[in-house]
């Protein structure tokens, strides 16, 4: 391959060649003629070469002409193909348009066909449907299936008739006859099921379940003949209303006969003097003894374990007697069970909600609920058992919650009515108890240092009320409890005032406060307001009692500490040294009598309190206070008096002997 010389380099070579020519030749014309001669020779040689190759050139020319002919024919052929392809493209476009058009037509025809087929199917009345509606019992599945089909056809015909469709005239007569036949059979069946409720000892759930199984029957009647649906509904309301009224009227009457024969009266108030002639449960059917009136015992179980216990069956419990709240629980639980089932049935079968469901339920159960409210008014009118009434109120709270959990709000007004009956009576009896304590005359009671029986009644009663209301606090109850507590505290103070000495007064106060606090802590939370109030009173009186019993034995030391301690605090040591003679006498007296004094303290405290635990705690409190005074006394002594004082470790060893295991 020839080497390519760049233009700049070529120009440089030409310039060099010119310089070489100018250098070697002096005559340019001669040099020009020489160049022309050389060009002529080259031209002649080229002509000779062309002549020598003339045959080949002629052949090449012929071949080029042949190629031109072939290319021309190919061009004509391709032009023909292009024309054909243009025609094919036009035809394809036309075919595509036709295809889209035909596809759209097909889709429209299929849609029309489906609607038309469905319409024809909906309008057509088959022989099978006619035979089943006319002949098959309503309880058969085939009847329900064809009834749904018939209901659909009736709805369609009714809709088309508004548009004046001529096609409805072909089938309307047949459908109306089938409708009348189906309604007659359904009406007969539903009334037959309702009449089953009237048979004695009938389990209501069986016919109700049968009706729910075919709840579409009522929907069919309601959509086609409202007056027939109203007839069935009215028949059901009348039947069930009488059944529930009769059942609960009889049940309430028989339950009343199981109540304790001897009930609480106005003579059984908290402040009324106890009648010693009555024993505990003087009769097996009595709840009269005051220790049972104000004590809850196992009665509180009715709100928990017994809340959903089986109801009392009167004819099977003729020999047993029950409290007011036990009979109330059984009656209300029976109502809850029946009312919830009834409400859920009517909402599902009669397809009602909200106020319509409430109205229908009231039509069925209204008379029964009114009867039960009147029965409660009668039974509660003479009731003086506050705990029983309070338990009944909390049973109402729990049964109302139970109804809400079952999605049954229909009894809310009934529960409010029951509360409106019980609350006024409960408040009245509560205030009568408070007034009875206010009216107590302390001089009529024996002078006993132990807990008073009225205090015990209050403790048990207050613990019962607080324990019951723990989960459902009430402002009225809290206020009444506070009034009762204040009245009892005043009574305890009035009773303490009849004792001549302060020590006896303190013993009486501690015994009563300790009893109340013990009962409250056993049955309620430790941090209840009532427990906290009596705890403060007990602590204050206990501290005062400790000072009172230490005074006869160690009063000199205690007085010395109280009088001279401020000298030590102000570093007035001269004043303390002036008290040395007095302190030496106290040291000598203590050394001679301290062991005997501890024995007498122990005996006195334990004999003064019926509760060994309380006595032991007070003794330990007294001994702890003595040790504190002893330490303070030791600091105030001069070195001479301190040397003669009994060593504190000896005293502590002796005190440990009186430590109890209570």
């Amino acid at each position: 391959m020839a080497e390519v010389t760049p233009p700049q380099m070529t120009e440089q070579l030409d310039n060099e060649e010119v310089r070489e020519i100018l250098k070697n030749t002096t005559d340019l014309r001669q040099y020009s003629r020489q160049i022309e001669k050389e060009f002529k020779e080259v031209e002649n040689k080229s002509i000779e070469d062309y002549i020598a190759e003339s045959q080949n050139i002629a052949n090449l020319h012929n071949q080029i002409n042949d190629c031109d002919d072939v290319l021309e024919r190919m061009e004509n052929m391709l032009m023909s193909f292009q024309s054909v392809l243009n025609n094919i493209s036009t035809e394809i476009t036309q075919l595509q348009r036709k295809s889209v058009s035909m596809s759209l037509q097909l889709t429209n025809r299929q849609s029309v066909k489906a609607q038309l087929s469905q319409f024809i199917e909906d309008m057509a009345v088959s022989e099978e449907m006619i035979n089943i509606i006319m002949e098959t019992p309503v309880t058969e599945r085939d009847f329900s299936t064809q009834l749904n089909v018939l209901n659909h056809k009736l709805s369609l015909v009714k809709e088309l008739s508004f548009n004046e469709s001529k096609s409805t005239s072909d089938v309307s007569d047949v459908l109306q006859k089938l409708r009348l036949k189906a309604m007659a059979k359904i009406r007969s069946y539903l009334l037959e099921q309702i009449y089953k409720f009237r048979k004695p000892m009938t389990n209501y759930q069986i016919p109700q379940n049968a009706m729910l199984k075919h709840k579409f029957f009522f929907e069919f009647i309601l959509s086609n003949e409202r007056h027939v649906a109203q007839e069935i509904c009215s028949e059901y309301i009348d039947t069930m209303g009488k059944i529930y009224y009769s059942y609960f009227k009889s049940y309430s009457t028989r339950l009343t006969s199981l109540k304790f024969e001897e009930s609480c009266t106005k003579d059984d108030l908290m402040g009324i003097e106890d009648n010693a002639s009555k024993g505990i449960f003087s009769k097996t059917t009595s709840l009269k003894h005051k220790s049972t009136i104000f004590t809850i015992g196992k009665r509180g179980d009715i709100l928990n374990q017994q809340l959903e216990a089986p109801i009392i069956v009167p004819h099977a419990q003729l020999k047993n007697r029950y409290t007011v709240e036990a009979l109330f629980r059984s009656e209300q639980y029976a109502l809850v069970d029946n009312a919830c089932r009834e409400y859920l049935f009517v909402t599902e079968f009669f397809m009602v909600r909200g106020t319509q469901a409430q109205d229908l339920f009231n039509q069925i159960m209204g008379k029964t609920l009114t009867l039960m409210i009147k029965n409660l008014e009668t039974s509660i009118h003479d009731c003086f058992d506050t705990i029983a009434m309070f338990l009944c109120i909390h049973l109402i709270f729990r049964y109302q919650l139970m109804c809400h959990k079952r999605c049954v709000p229909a009894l809310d007004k009934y529960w409010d009515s029951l509360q409106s009956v019980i609350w006024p009576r409960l408040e009245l009896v509560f205030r009568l108890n408070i007034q009875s304590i206010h009216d107590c005359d302390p001089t009529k009671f024996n002078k006993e240092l132990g807990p008073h029986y009225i205090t015990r009644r209050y403790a048990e009663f207050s613990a019962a009320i607080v324990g019951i209301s723990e989960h459902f606090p009430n402002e009225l109850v809290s206020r009444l409890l506070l009034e009762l507590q204040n009245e009892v505290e005043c009574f305890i103070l009035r009773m303490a005032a009849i004792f001549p000495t302060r020590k006896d007064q303190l013993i009486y106060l501690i015994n009563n406060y300790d009893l109340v606090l013990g009962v409250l802590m056993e049955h309620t939370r430790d941090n209840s307001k009532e427990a906290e109030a009596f705890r403060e009173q007990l602590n204050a009186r206990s501290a005062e009692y400790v000072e009172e019993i230490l005074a006869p034995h160690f009063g000199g030391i205690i007085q010395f500490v109280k009088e001279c301690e401020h000298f030590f605090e102000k570093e007035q040591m001269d004043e303390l040294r002036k008290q040395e003679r007095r302190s030496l006498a106290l040291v000598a007296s203590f050394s001679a009598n301290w062991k005997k004094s501890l024995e007498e303290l122990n005996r006195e405290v334990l004999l003064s309190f019926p509760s060994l635990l309380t006595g032991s705690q007070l003794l330990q409190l007294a001994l702890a206070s003595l040790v504190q005074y002893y330490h303070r006394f030791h600091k105030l002594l001069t070195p001479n008096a301190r040397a003669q004082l009994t060593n504190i470790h000896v005293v502590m060893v002796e005190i440990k002997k009186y430590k109890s295991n209570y």
Side-chain angles (χ1 to χ4, degrees):
M1 181 180 293
E3 186 176 348
V4 179
T5 305
Q8 188 177 4
M9 187 177 293
T10 304
E11 183 179 358
Q12 185 177 3
L13 292 174
D14 290 343
N15 292 335
E16 290 178 357
E17 187 176 355
V18 171
R19 282 194 296 269
E20 185 65 27
I21 293 170
L22 292 175
K23 182 179 179 182
N24 297 326
T25 307
T26 58
D27 189 358
L28 291 176
R29 287 175 292 181
Q30 182 181 356
Y31 183 75
S32 174
R33 286 191 297 270
Q34 183 182 351
I35 292 300
E36 287 178 0
K37 182 180 179 181
E38 290 177 0
F39 277 147
K40 191 68 174 176
E41 290 175 357
V42 171
E43 182 181 359
N44 292 330
K45 287 181 180 180
S46 296
I47 292 171
E48 290 175 0
D49 291 337
Y50 182 78
I51 293 171
E53 295 293 332
S54 59
Q55 185 62 40
N56 293 333
I57 292 173
N59 292 335
L60 179 60
H61 177 72
N62 292 333
Q63 290 177 0
I64 290 172
N65 288 332
D66 291 340
C67 286
D68 286 340
D69 293 338
V70 171
L71 290 174
E72 183 180 1
R73 288 197 300 272
M74 289 183 67
E75 181 182 6
N76 293 332
M77 185 184 299
L78 290 174
M79 293 296 292
S80 175
F81 284 161
Q82 183 179 7
S83 177
V84 172
L85 288 175
N86 287 335
N87 293 334
I88 292 174
S89 176
T90 303
E91 290 179 1
I92 289 174
T93 303
Q94 292 176 353
L95 289 174
Q96 285 178 339
R97 291 174 181 173
K98 288 183 180 180
S99 176
V100 171
S101 176
M102 292 175 66
S103 176
L104 181 61
Q105 292 176 1
L106 177 62
T107 302
N108 292 336
R109 290 178 181 180
Q110 286 178 340
S111 175
V112 171
K113 177 184 177 183
Q115 294 181 12
L116 187 60
S117 299
Q118 184 64 46
F119 177 79
I120 294 172
E121 183 179 350
D122 291 340
M123 293 296 293
V125 181
S126 65
E127 289 292 332
E128 180 185 11
M129 185 179 74
I130 295 173
N131 292 333
I132 291 176
I133 295 296
M134 298 295 292
E135 305 296 337
T136 305
V138 296
T139 55
E140 296 290 335
R141 181 179 296 179
D142 290 343
F143 181 85
S144 298
T145 302
Q146 294 301 326
L147 186 67
N148 275 282
V149 176
L150 175 61
N151 188 58
H152 174 70
K153 293 180 184 297
L154 288 170
S155 300
L156 179 62
V157 169
K158 186 183 298 184
E159 181 182 348
L160 292 174
S161 64
F162 287 112
N163 298 327
E164 299 180 356
S165 176
K166 295 183 179 180
S167 59
T168 59
S169 60
D170 296 336
V171 295
S172 59
D173 291 340
V174 177
L175 291 177
Q176 290 302 320
K177 291 178 181 178
L178 289 176
R179 179 181 68 84
L180 293 175
K181 181 62 177 179
M183 288 184 56
K185 293 174 69 174
I186 292 172
R187 175 182 176 277
S188 176
Y189 171 76
L190 292 179
L191 291 176
E192 179 185 349
Q193 296 302 313
I194 293 173
Y195 294 151
K196 287 182 180 180
F197 291 112
R198 302 177 181 180
K199 296 180 181 179
M201 307 301 290
T202 299
N203 184 349
Y204 307 143
Q205 290 185 346
I206 295 176
Q208 280 185 341
N209 290 338
M211 293 174 70
L212 285 177
K213 185 178 179 181
H214 302 97
K215 61 183 179 180
F216 178 71
F217 290 173
F218 185 79
E219 182 181 351
F220 178 81
I221 292 179
L222 186 64
S223 61
N224 289 279
E225 287 292 344
R226 287 189 172 271
H227 72 276
V228 177
Q230 185 61 44
E231 177 192 5
I232 294 172
C233 187
S234 300
E235 194 68 31
Y236 180 84
I237 291 171
D238 182 64
T239 299
M240 294 308 297
K242 291 178 179 177
I243 289 173
Y244 283 126
Y245 180 80
S246 175
Y247 169 75
F248 280 100
K249 181 180 181 180
S250 173
Y251 186 65
S252 297
T253 303
R254 287 183 293 168
L255 278 182
T256 304
S257 65
L258 301 181
K259 188 168 61 175
F260 281 108
E261 294 177 0
E262 192 175 1
S263 58
C264 304
T265 66
K266 62 181 179 179
D267 296 326
D268 298 307
L269 299 174
M270 191 177 296
I272 302 298
E273 186 178 356
D274 200 5
N275 190 348
S277 62
K278 290 184 180 180
I280 298 178
F281 291 97
S282 57
K283 295 182 181 181
T284 57
T285 58
S286 173
L287 189 65
K288 188 69 176 293
H289 193 262
K290 292 182 178 60
S291 64
T292 61
I293 294 173
F294 301 105
T295 304
I296 190 168
K298 296 292 184 181
R299 296 168 71 182
D301 293 344
I302 201 169
L303 299 177
N304 300 303
Q305 297 92 326
Q306 301 174 16
L307 186 64
E308 298 185 52
I311 63 173
I312 298 171
V313 182
H315 66 269
Q317 303 290 336
L318 293 176
K319 295 182 180 180
N320 296 328
R321 291 296 178 266
Y322 296 90
T323 57
V324 173
E325 69 273 9
L327 300 177
F328 181 82
R329 181 211 71 84
S330 182
E331 186 175 15
Q332 301 308 316
Y333 186 54
L335 176 67
V336 167
D337 198 30
N338 283 277
C340 288
R341 185 172 65 246
E342 189 62 32
Y343 180 83
L344 295 175
F345 171 80
V346 297
T347 54
E348 184 175 359
F349 184 79
F350 293 107
M351 299 178 297
V352 287
R353 294 290 184 273
T355 55
Q356 290 183 335
Q358 184 69 56
D359 292 341
L360 184 56
F361 177 83
N362 289 339
Q363 292 179 51
I364 298 171
M365 299 292 297
K367 190 176 179 181
T368 301
L369 298 180
T370 303
L371 170 69
M372 296 183 71
I373 294 172
K374 289 182 178 179
N375 288 343
L376 179 63
E377 291 174 347
T378 303
S379 62
I380 213 75
H381 181 265
D382 297 322
C383 181
F384 285 85
D385 191 344
T386 312
I387 292 179
M389 289 187 285
F390 200 49
L391 285 171
C392 290
I393 286 176
H394 279 267
L395 282 170
I396 292 173
F397 293 155
R398 283 160 173 79
Y399 284 137
Q400 189 169 14
L401 282 177
M402 185 183 296
C403 290
H404 288 172
K405 288 180 180 178
R406 297 181 183 182
C407 301
V408 178
L411 290 175
D412 285 350
K413 290 185 179 179
Y414 169 73
W415 300 127
D416 293 341
S417 299
L418 292 187
Q419 291 191 56
S420 66
V421 172
I422 300 176
W423 274 116
R425 182 65 186 177
L426 172 65
E427 183 178 3
L428 173 64
V429 177
F430 212 121
R431 294 195 180 278
L432 288 175
N433 279 289
I434 296 173
Q435 187 64 37
S436 68
I437 296 176
H438 178 78
D439 296 339
C440 280
D441 184 1
T443 60
K444 293 183 178 180
F445 300 105
N446 297 328
K447 290 185 178 181
E448 297 178 356
L449 294 175
H452 199 279
Y453 63 80
I454 290 181
T455 305
R456 184 176 295 278
R457 290 178 190 172
Y458 163 75
E460 297 287 352
F461 177 79
S462 180
I465 297 299
V466 172
I468 293 171
S469 60
E470 187 173 1
H471 298 293
F472 295 89
N474 182 270
E475 183 179 354
L476 174 62
V477 173
S478 299
R479 188 167 63 250
L480 291 172
L481 278 174
L482 181 60
E483 293 179 18
L484 179 62
Q485 175 187 329
N486 294 335
E487 203 60 59
V488 169
E489 288 180 358
C490 291
F491 169 75
I492 293 174
L493 292 174
R494 296 203 309 271
M495 282 297 301
I498 68 175
F499 295 98
T501 65
R502 183 55 181 168
K503 184 174 71 173
D504 287 345
Q505 292 176 1
L506 291 172
I507 292 173
Y508 178 81
L509 291 173
I510 291 172
N511 277 327
N512 282 270
Y513 292 151
D514 181 65
L515 169 68
V516 175
L517 183 61
V519 174
L520 286 173
M521 292 184 64
E522 181 181 355
H523 295 94
T524 64
R525 296 174 286 107
D526 292 348
N527 60 347
S528 65
K529 293 184 294 183
E530 293 76 12
E532 191 61 33
F534 281 98
R535 185 180 289 108
E536 291 177 2
Q537 293 282 0
L538 179 61
N539 292 338
R541 300 291 81 79
S542 297
E544 187 178 351
Y545 173 74
V546 165
E547 296 286 332
E548 195 73 27
I549 60 173
L550 287 178
H553 304 283
F554 308 102
I557 293 177
I558 295 172
Q559 189 67 25
F560 182 85
V561 169
K562 291 181 178 179
E563 292 178 0
C564 301
E565 203 164 29
H566 69 282
F567 295 143
F568 181 81
E569 293 174 354
K570 296 180 180 180
E571 298 182 355
Q572 298 175 356
M573 300 306 173
D574 293 338
E575 295 294 332
L576 286 176
R577 281 193 285 272
K578 292 178 182 179
Q579 302 291 332
E580 184 175 13
R581 180 180 296 179
R582 179 185 173 190
S583 63
L584 286 171
L586 291 173
V587 169
S589 175
F590 179 84
S591 300
N593 300 314
W594 69 276
K595 287 188 178 181
K596 182 180 178 182
S597 296
L598 291 180
E599 292 177 0
E600 291 177 358
L601 271 177
N602 179 58
R603 182 170 60 255
E604 179 183 359
V605 172
L606 295 182
L607 290 176
S608 299
F609 300 95
S611 170
L612 294 177
L613 178 60
T614 303
S616 175
Q617 289 174 345
L618 287 169
L619 177 61
Q620 297 305 313
L621 186 62
L623 295 177
S625 181
L626 173 61
V627 171
Q628 291 177 0
Y629 278 120
Y630 196 77
H631 277 293
R632 292 159 66 183
F633 180 63
H634 182 270
K635 292 180 182 180
L636 302 175
L637 295 178
T638 61
N640 181 31
R642 193 177 297 168
Q644 299 180 38
L645 185 65
T646 305
N647 190 289
I648 184 62
H649 297 292
V650 176
V651 177
M652 292 298 295
V653 170
E654 189 67 23
I655 286 176
K656 287 182 179 179
K657 295 179 181 179
Y658 297 98
K659 186 177 181 181
S660 67
N661 295 322
Y662 299 112

